[in-house]
Amino acid sequence: MAEAKGEAHGCIVCGRLYQLYVVHDSEGKYLGSKVMTPGGKEVQGYNRPLVACERHSADEIRRAADRVYGRPDADEDE
Ligand SMILES: [Zn+2]
């Protein structure tokens, strides 16, 4: 059974607060989240609820998230 609960998270880039629905499975594994506040979007790939404003570029978001949480485990050649 998945469990959803409401949480407030700040934008990873600028800190603006967004209301999210965060879903974990019965073992507490993070499954995903849905941003309820208009203007925000989910940032995927970090295994935790992360949100950013829609106006930030993908690059800006990734740099901010990498700075805080380290790189996602995907292999990227850069
Ligand atoms: Zn922002």
Side-chain angles (χ1 to χ4, degrees), residues 11 14 53 56:
C11 165
C14 70
C53 308
H56 300 308

Side-chain angles (χ1 to χ4, degrees), residues 10-16 18 39 51-56 60-61:
C11 165
I12 188 69
V13 180
C14 70
R16 186 181 165 198
Y18 287 97
V51 64
C53 308
E54 278 169 356
R55 64 189 175 85
H56 300 308
E60 207 176 355
I61 293 166

Side-chain angles (χ1 to χ4, degrees), residues 20-64:
L20 312 194
Y21 253 122
V22 180
V23 184
H24 291 90
D25 71 12
S26 55
E27 281 152 22
K29 182 170 175 282
Y30 175 69
L31 295 179
S33 55
K34 181 168 168 39
V35 181
M36 307 306 286
T37 310
K41 61 182 176 187
E42 181 193 4
V43 180
Q44 293 174 326
Y46 289 87
N47 247 355
R48 70 187 72 229
L50 269 191
V51 64
C53 308
E54 278 169 356
R55 64 189 175 85
H56 300 308
S57 71
D59 213 52
E60 207 176 355
I61 293 166
R62 207 183 61 175
R63 266 186 282 127

